[in-house]
């Protein structure tokens, strides 16, 4: 049974840079307030005339393919993590397939929010291990700015989220103890409403899903109990990282680079302190992009690789926590 190896990484973010000062003109907030609570200085928001979840994913994919010396036709499976698909249905996986000009290959959509990319990576890893597919595209992509309440009422949430896409290419490797060593996935639906978007949900009376009933779009906006999310995140992050290390008989000191989901810089810094990691052992880019949900980890991976922060034989740990609640980790020997 072969391990799966990441052979290419890429990302794409919209051109529009939205600074904290610009956000402050939309609502009662300030650069100081946002920075203190989140660590974010700016984020990318999409252009409705040019950007879609699928075409941003396609641009990220093309970067990953080029870095892997592959072409789109080499891809035989797509696993797409997003909570903001271009359509209510079908999923964005098939739209990405169309963007890439591919025919007949399977395309899955994973809707596990902030943990979605690691869930998708785990799924791709299993298909490689069984030999069912040979070249798997794993994507995380989001357009979240269009579902944010960009008023003072929604400022606690809307200052956090951004748009973007990240991609990795998986292929089998015969090298022992290389590639994806293990993945670890968890969930607890008791906290589903602590971070969610209620509509457009299907479990509604028919009258509530008619155009005249949905003029009030309140339930289409992100709702988050930030304090409760933080409280659970700082427990689950170290827990699931420790689980991955234990499964592979490794220690925290073995980690060359931790890439946490970019939820909040305060969470990442707390986890870093709890694990006793140095600054050069953790990669954060939330200051530039905000929380891009399923896209955050692959965007980080792409930037870290390009900056030389990920090198051959490095032990890279991915970890995420978010809506669901779901949390996950992956340990990779590059």
């Amino acid at each position: 049974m072969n391990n799966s190896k990441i052979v290419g990484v890429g990302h794409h973010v919209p051109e529009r840079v939205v600074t904290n000062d610009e956000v402050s003109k939309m609502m009662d907030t300030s650069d100081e307030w946002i920075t203190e609570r989140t660590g974010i200085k700016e984020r990318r928001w999409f252009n409705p005339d040019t950007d879609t979840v699928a075409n941003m994913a396609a641009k990220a994919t093309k970067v990953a393919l080029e870095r892997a010396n592959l072409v789109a036709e080499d891809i035989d499976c797509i696993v797409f993590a997003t909570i903001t698909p271009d359509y209510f249905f079908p999923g964005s996986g098939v739209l990405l397939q169309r963007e890439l000009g591919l025919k007949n290959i399977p395309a899955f959509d994973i809707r596990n929010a902030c943990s979605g990319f690691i869930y998708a990576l785990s799924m791709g890893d299993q298909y490689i291990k069984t030999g069912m597919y040979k070249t798997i595209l794993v994507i995380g992509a989001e357009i979240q700015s269009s579902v944010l309440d960009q008023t003072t009422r929604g400022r606690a949430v809307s200052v956090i989220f951004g748009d973007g896409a990240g991609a990795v290419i998986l292929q089998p490797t015969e090298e022992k103890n290389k590639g994806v060593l293990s993945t670890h996935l968890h969930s607890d639906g008791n906290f589903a409403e602590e971070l969610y978007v209620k509509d457009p949900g299907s479990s509604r009376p028919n009258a509530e899903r008619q155009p005249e009933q949905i003029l009030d779009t309140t339930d289409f906006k992100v709702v988050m109990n930030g304090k409760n999310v933080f409280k659970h995140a700082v427990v689950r992050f170290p827990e699931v990282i420790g689980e991955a290390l234990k499964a592979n008989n490794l220690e925290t000191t073995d980690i060359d680079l931790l890439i946490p989901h970019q939820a909040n810089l305060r969470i990442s810094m707390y986890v870093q302190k709890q694990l006793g990691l140095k600054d050069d052992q953790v990669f954060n880019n939330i200051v530039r992009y905000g929380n891009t949900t399923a896209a955050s980890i692959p965007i980080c991976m792409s930037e870290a690789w390009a900056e030389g922060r990920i090198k051959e034989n490095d032990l890279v740990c991915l970890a995420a926590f978010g809506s669901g609640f779901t949390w996950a980790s992956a340990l990779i020997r590059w």
Side-chain angles (χ1 to χ4, degrees), residues 155-199:
R155 67 179 176 179
V157 173
S158 57
V159 301
I160 296 173
F161 292 96
D163 306 333
V168 305
I169 310 293
L170 290 178
Q171 286 190 327
T173 177
E174 295 181 357
E175 296 180 88
K176 300 298 182 184
N177 299 315
K178 290 292 287 288
V180 179
L181 303 181
S182 64
T183 57
H184 307 269
L185 315 177
H186 301 279
S187 66
D188 187 344
N190 287 316
F191 301 97
E193 288 77 25
E194 297 297 275
L195 174 51
Y196 80 127
V197 174
K198 183 178 179 179
D199 282 313

Short mmCIF file of all heavy atoms in Angstrom, two decimals, residues 155-199:
data_model
loop_
_atom_site.label_atom_id
_atom_site.label_comp_id
_atom_site.label_asym_id
_atom_site.label_seq_id
_atom_site.Cartn_x
_atom_site.Cartn_y
_atom_site.Cartn_z
N ARG A 155 -20.30 43.14 12.78
CA ARG A 155 -18.86 43.40 12.72
C ARG A 155 -18.00 42.31 13.38
O ARG A 155 -16.89 42.06 12.94
CB ARG A 155 -18.55 44.74 13.37
CG ARG A 155 -18.80 44.79 14.87
CD ARG A 155 -18.46 46.13 15.46
NE ARG A 155 -18.82 46.17 16.88
CZ ARG A 155 -18.61 47.20 17.67
NH1 ARG A 155 -18.05 48.30 17.17
NH2 ARG A 155 -18.95 47.17 18.94
N ALA A 156 -18.50 41.67 14.43
CA ALA A 156 -17.70 40.66 15.13
C ALA A 156 -17.33 39.50 14.21
O ALA A 156 -16.34 38.81 14.44
CB ALA A 156 -18.46 40.14 16.35
N VAL A 157 -18.14 39.30 13.17
CA VAL A 157 -17.90 38.21 12.22
C VAL A 157 -17.30 38.75 10.91
O VAL A 157 -16.33 38.21 10.38
CB VAL A 157 -19.21 37.46 11.91
CG1 VAL A 157 -19.00 36.44 10.80
CG2 VAL A 157 -19.72 36.76 13.17
N SER A 158 -17.87 39.83 10.40
CA SER A 158 -17.52 40.27 9.05
C SER A 158 -16.10 40.78 8.91
O SER A 158 -15.54 40.78 7.81
CB SER A 158 -18.50 41.34 8.57
OG SER A 158 -18.53 42.44 9.46
N VAL A 159 -15.47 41.20 10.02
CA VAL A 159 -14.08 41.66 9.92
C VAL A 159 -13.11 40.49 9.77
O VAL A 159 -11.95 40.68 9.41
CB VAL A 159 -13.69 42.49 11.16
CG1 VAL A 159 -14.59 43.70 11.31
CG2 VAL A 159 -13.71 41.65 12.45
N ILE A 160 -13.58 39.27 10.03
CA ILE A 160 -12.69 38.11 10.10
C ILE A 160 -12.49 37.43 8.75
O ILE A 160 -11.37 37.03 8.41
CB ILE A 160 -13.25 37.08 11.11
CG1 ILE A 160 -13.26 37.68 12.52
CG2 ILE A 160 -12.45 35.78 11.07
CD1 ILE A 160 -13.95 36.80 13.54
N PHE A 161 -13.55 37.32 7.96
CA PHE A 161 -13.52 36.38 6.83
C PHE A 161 -13.06 37.01 5.52
O PHE A 161 -13.33 38.18 5.23
CB PHE A 161 -14.88 35.73 6.66
CG PHE A 161 -15.24 34.80 7.79
CD1 PHE A 161 -16.01 35.23 8.84
CD2 PHE A 161 -14.77 33.50 7.79
CE1 PHE A 161 -16.32 34.37 9.89
CE2 PHE A 161 -15.07 32.63 8.83
CZ PHE A 161 -15.85 33.08 9.89
N GLY A 162 -12.39 36.18 4.71
CA GLY A 162 -11.92 36.60 3.40
C GLY A 162 -12.17 35.52 2.37
O GLY A 162 -12.71 34.45 2.66
N ASP A 163 -11.76 35.80 1.14
CA ASP A 163 -11.99 34.91 0.00
C ASP A 163 -10.66 34.43 -0.57
O ASP A 163 -9.65 35.12 -0.49
CB ASP A 163 -12.76 35.65 -1.09
CG ASP A 163 -14.06 36.28 -0.58
OD1 ASP A 163 -14.62 35.78 0.39
OD2 ASP A 163 -14.49 37.30 -1.18
N GLY A 164 -10.68 33.24 -1.17
CA GLY A 164 -9.46 32.73 -1.79
C GLY A 164 -9.57 31.25 -2.08
O GLY A 164 -10.57 30.60 -1.77
N ALA A 165 -8.51 30.70 -2.66
CA ALA A 165 -8.49 29.28 -3.04
C ALA A 165 -7.07 28.73 -2.92
O ALA A 165 -6.09 29.42 -3.21
CB ALA A 165 -8.99 29.10 -4.47
N GLY A 166 -6.98 27.47 -2.50
CA GLY A 166 -5.70 26.77 -2.44
C GLY A 166 -5.86 25.36 -2.96
O GLY A 166 -6.93 24.76 -2.83
N ALA A 167 -4.79 24.82 -3.54
CA ALA A 167 -4.87 23.49 -4.17
C ALA A 167 -3.62 22.69 -3.88
O ALA A 167 -2.52 23.24 -3.77
CB ALA A 167 -5.02 23.65 -5.68
N VAL A 168 -3.79 21.38 -3.74
CA VAL A 168 -2.65 20.46 -3.69
C VAL A 168 -2.93 19.29 -4.62
O VAL A 168 -4.08 18.92 -4.85
CB VAL A 168 -2.34 19.93 -2.27
CG1 VAL A 168 -2.15 21.07 -1.29
CG2 VAL A 168 -3.42 18.99 -1.77
N ILE A 169 -1.86 18.71 -5.15
CA ILE A 169 -1.95 17.52 -6.00
C ILE A 169 -1.34 16.35 -5.24
O ILE A 169 -0.21 16.44 -4.76
CB ILE A 169 -1.16 17.71 -7.32
CG1 ILE A 169 -1.55 19.02 -8.02
CG2 ILE A 169 -1.39 16.52 -8.24
CD1 ILE A 169 -2.95 19.08 -8.54
N LEU A 170 -2.11 15.27 -5.13
CA LEU A 170 -1.64 14.06 -4.47
C LEU A 170 -1.33 12.97 -5.49
O LEU A 170 -2.09 12.77 -6.45
CB LEU A 170 -2.72 13.51 -3.52
CG LEU A 170 -3.06 14.26 -2.25
CD1 LEU A 170 -4.19 13.54 -1.53
CD2 LEU A 170 -1.86 14.39 -1.34
N GLN A 171 -0.21 12.30 -5.28
CA GLN A 171 0.13 11.12 -6.07
C GLN A 171 0.75 10.06 -5.14
O GLN A 171 1.22 10.39 -4.05
CB GLN A 171 1.12 11.47 -7.18
CG GLN A 171 0.51 12.23 -8.34
CD GLN A 171 1.46 12.35 -9.52
OE1 GLN A 171 2.68 12.44 -9.36
NE2 GLN A 171 0.90 12.36 -10.74
N PRO A 172 0.74 8.80 -5.56
CA PRO A 172 1.33 7.76 -4.72
C PRO A 172 2.85 7.85 -4.68
O PRO A 172 3.48 8.31 -5.63
CB PRO A 172 0.88 6.47 -5.38
CG PRO A 172 0.56 6.83 -6.79
CD PRO A 172 0.11 8.26 -6.77
N THR A 173 3.42 7.43 -3.56
CA THR A 173 4.86 7.32 -3.44
C THR A 173 5.22 5.97 -2.83
O THR A 173 4.52 5.48 -1.93
CB THR A 173 5.46 8.45 -2.58
OG1 THR A 173 6.87 8.25 -2.44
CG2 THR A 173 4.83 8.49 -1.19
N GLU A 174 6.27 5.37 -3.31
CA GLU A 174 6.74 4.09 -2.77
C GLU A 174 7.75 4.30 -1.64
O GLU A 174 8.17 3.34 -1.00
CB GLU A 174 7.38 3.25 -3.88
CG GLU A 174 6.38 2.83 -4.96
CD GLU A 174 7.02 1.97 -6.04
OE1 GLU A 174 8.26 1.76 -5.97
OE2 GLU A 174 6.29 1.52 -6.94
N GLU A 175 8.12 5.56 -1.40
CA GLU A 175 9.06 5.86 -0.32
C GLU A 175 8.39 5.60 1.04
O GLU A 175 7.28 6.05 1.29
CB GLU A 175 9.52 7.31 -0.39
CG GLU A 175 10.30 7.68 -1.62
CD GLU A 175 10.70 9.14 -1.62
OE1 GLU A 175 11.76 9.46 -1.07
OE2 GLU A 175 9.94 9.95 -2.16
N LYS A 176 9.08 4.89 1.89
CA LYS A 176 8.55 4.59 3.21
C LYS A 176 8.65 5.82 4.11
O LYS A 176 9.62 6.57 4.05
CB LYS A 176 9.32 3.43 3.84
CG LYS A 176 9.24 2.14 3.02
CD LYS A 176 7.80 1.64 2.90
CE LYS A 176 7.73 0.33 2.12
NZ LYS A 176 6.33 -0.12 1.91
N ASN A 177 7.64 6.00 4.94
CA ASN A 177 7.61 7.11 5.88
C ASN A 177 7.71 8.48 5.21
O ASN A 177 8.31 9.40 5.77
CB ASN A 177 8.73 6.96 6.93
CG ASN A 177 8.58 5.69 7.73
OD1 ASN A 177 7.48 5.36 8.18
ND2 ASN A 177 9.68 4.97 7.91
N LYS A 178 7.16 8.57 4.01
CA LYS A 178 7.08 9.85 3.31
C LYS A 178 5.63 10.11 2.94
O LYS A 178 4.81 9.21 2.88
CB LYS A 178 7.95 9.83 2.03
CG LYS A 178 9.44 9.81 2.28
CD LYS A 178 9.95 11.09 2.90
CE LYS A 178 9.98 12.25 1.95
NZ LYS A 178 11.02 12.19 0.91
N GLY A 179 5.33 11.38 2.66
CA GLY A 179 3.97 11.75 2.27
C GLY A 179 3.07 11.91 3.47
O GLY A 179 3.51 12.26 4.58
N VAL A 180 1.78 11.69 3.27
CA VAL A 180 0.80 11.83 4.34
C VAL A 180 0.94 10.63 5.27
O VAL A 180 0.62 9.50 4.90
CB VAL A 180 -0.64 11.90 3.77
CG1 VAL A 180 -1.65 12.02 4.91
CG2 VAL A 180 -0.78 13.09 2.81
N LEU A 181 1.40 10.88 6.49
CA LEU A 181 1.63 9.80 7.44
C LEU A 181 0.32 9.35 8.08
O LEU A 181 0.09 8.16 8.28
CB LEU A 181 2.62 10.25 8.51
CG LEU A 181 3.99 10.72 8.02
CD1 LEU A 181 4.87 11.10 9.20
CD2 LEU A 181 4.66 9.66 7.16
N SER A 182 -0.52 10.32 8.44
CA SER A 182 -1.82 9.98 9.02
C SER A 182 -2.71 11.21 9.05
O SER A 182 -2.23 12.34 9.01
CB SER A 182 -1.67 9.42 10.45
OG SER A 182 -1.12 10.41 11.32
N THR A 183 -4.02 10.97 9.10
CA THR A 183 -5.00 12.04 9.27
C THR A 183 -5.94 11.65 10.40
O THR A 183 -6.20 10.46 10.62
CB THR A 183 -5.80 12.31 7.98
OG1 THR A 183 -6.45 11.08 7.57
CG2 THR A 183 -4.91 12.81 6.86
N HIS A 184 -6.49 12.65 11.08
CA HIS A 184 -7.31 12.41 12.26
C HIS A 184 -8.50 13.37 12.23
O HIS A 184 -8.31 14.59 12.23
CB HIS A 184 -6.48 12.60 13.52
CG HIS A 184 -5.20 11.80 13.50
ND1 HIS A 184 -5.14 10.52 14.01
CD2 HIS A 184 -3.98 12.08 12.96
CE1 HIS A 184 -3.91 10.05 13.81
NE2 HIS A 184 -3.19 10.97 13.16
N LEU A 185 -9.70 12.82 12.17
CA LEU A 185 -10.91 13.61 11.94
C LEU A 185 -11.90 13.43 13.08
O LEU A 185 -12.12 12.31 13.55
CB LEU A 185 -11.58 13.18 10.62
CG LEU A 185 -10.68 12.99 9.40
CD1 LEU A 185 -11.49 12.49 8.22
CD2 LEU A 185 -9.95 14.29 9.05
N HIS A 186 -12.55 14.55 13.49
CA HIS A 186 -13.51 14.50 14.59
C HIS A 186 -14.64 15.49 14.35
O HIS A 186 -14.49 16.46 13.60
CB HIS A 186 -12.82 14.83 15.92
CG HIS A 186 -11.70 13.93 16.27
ND1 HIS A 186 -11.89 12.70 16.85
CD2 HIS A 186 -10.35 14.08 16.12
CE1 HIS A 186 -10.71 12.12 17.05
NE2 HIS A 186 -9.77 12.93 16.60
N SER A 187 -15.75 15.27 15.06
CA SER A 187 -16.86 16.22 15.01
C SER A 187 -17.72 16.09 16.25
O SER A 187 -17.70 15.06 16.93
CB SER A 187 -17.72 16.01 13.75
OG SER A 187 -18.38 14.76 13.81
N ASP A 188 -18.47 17.15 16.54
CA ASP A 188 -19.44 17.15 17.62
C ASP A 188 -20.59 18.09 17.23
O ASP A 188 -20.49 19.31 17.39
CB ASP A 188 -18.81 17.61 18.94
CG ASP A 188 -19.75 17.46 20.14
OD1 ASP A 188 -20.96 17.29 19.93
OD2 ASP A 188 -19.25 17.52 21.28
N GLY A 189 -21.66 17.50 16.72
CA GLY A 189 -22.79 18.27 16.22
C GLY A 189 -23.60 18.99 17.28
O GLY A 189 -24.50 19.78 16.95
N ASN A 190 -23.31 18.75 18.55
CA ASN A 190 -24.03 19.46 19.61
C ASN A 190 -23.80 20.96 19.56
O ASN A 190 -24.57 21.73 20.13
CB ASN A 190 -23.59 18.94 20.99
CG ASN A 190 -24.14 17.55 21.28
OD1 ASN A 190 -25.31 17.28 21.03
ND2 ASN A 190 -23.29 16.67 21.80
N PHE A 191 -22.74 21.38 18.87
CA PHE A 191 -22.41 22.80 18.81
C PHE A 191 -22.63 23.38 17.41
O PHE A 191 -22.05 24.41 17.06
CB PHE A 191 -20.96 23.00 19.24
CG PHE A 191 -20.69 22.51 20.63
CD1 PHE A 191 -20.14 21.25 20.85
CD2 PHE A 191 -21.00 23.30 21.73
CE1 PHE A 191 -19.90 20.78 22.13
CE2 PHE A 191 -20.76 22.84 23.02
CZ PHE A 191 -20.22 21.58 23.23
N ALA A 192 -23.48 22.74 16.61
CA ALA A 192 -23.65 23.13 15.21
C ALA A 192 -24.06 24.59 15.06
O ALA A 192 -23.60 25.28 14.13
CB ALA A 192 -24.68 22.23 14.54
N GLU A 193 -24.91 25.07 15.94
CA GLU A 193 -25.43 26.44 15.79
C GLU A 193 -24.53 27.51 16.40
O GLU A 193 -24.88 28.69 16.40
CB GLU A 193 -26.83 26.54 16.39
CG GLU A 193 -27.92 25.85 15.58
CD GLU A 193 -27.92 24.34 15.74
OE1 GLU A 193 -27.43 23.85 16.80
OE2 GLU A 193 -28.37 23.62 14.83
N GLU A 194 -23.38 27.12 16.92
CA GLU A 194 -22.44 28.10 17.47
C GLU A 194 -21.71 28.86 16.37
O GLU A 194 -21.17 29.94 16.59
CB GLU A 194 -21.42 27.41 18.38
CG GLU A 194 -22.03 26.76 19.60
CD GLU A 194 -22.69 27.77 20.53
OE1 GLU A 194 -21.98 28.35 21.36
OE2 GLU A 194 -23.92 27.97 20.40
N LEU A 195 -21.66 28.28 15.17
CA LEU A 195 -21.05 28.93 14.02
C LEU A 195 -21.71 28.36 12.78
O LEU A 195 -21.40 27.24 12.36
CB LEU A 195 -19.53 28.68 14.01
CG LEU A 195 -18.73 29.19 12.79
CD1 LEU A 195 -19.03 30.64 12.49
CD2 LEU A 195 -17.24 28.96 13.01
N TYR A 196 -22.64 29.12 12.18
CA TYR A 196 -23.40 28.57 11.06
C TYR A 196 -24.06 29.66 10.24
O TYR A 196 -24.11 30.83 10.65
CB TYR A 196 -24.44 27.58 11.57
CG TYR A 196 -25.73 28.16 12.15
CD1 TYR A 196 -26.97 27.74 11.67
CD2 TYR A 196 -25.72 29.11 13.17
CE1 TYR A 196 -28.16 28.23 12.20
CE2 TYR A 196 -26.90 29.61 13.70
CZ TYR A 196 -28.12 29.17 13.21
OH TYR A 196 -29.29 29.67 13.73
N VAL A 197 -24.54 29.27 9.07
CA VAL A 197 -25.43 30.09 8.24
C VAL A 197 -26.72 29.28 8.10
O VAL A 197 -26.71 28.19 7.54
CB VAL A 197 -24.82 30.38 6.85
CG1 VAL A 197 -25.83 31.11 5.98
CG2 VAL A 197 -23.55 31.21 6.99
N LYS A 198 -27.81 29.81 8.59
CA LYS A 198 -29.07 29.06 8.66
C LYS A 198 -29.69 28.79 7.29
O LYS A 198 -30.19 27.70 7.01
CB LYS A 198 -30.06 29.83 9.53
CG LYS A 198 -31.39 29.11 9.73
CD LYS A 198 -32.30 29.91 10.64
CE LYS A 198 -33.65 29.21 10.84
NZ LYS A 198 -34.53 29.99 11.74
N ASP A 199 -29.67 29.77 6.43
CA ASP A 199 -30.34 29.62 5.14
C ASP A 199 -29.37 29.84 3.97
O ASP A 199 -28.32 30.48 4.13
CB ASP A 199 -31.50 30.61 5.04
CG ASP A 199 -32.72 30.15 5.83
OD1 ASP A 199 -33.07 28.98 5.68
OD2 ASP A 199 -33.29 30.95 6.60
#
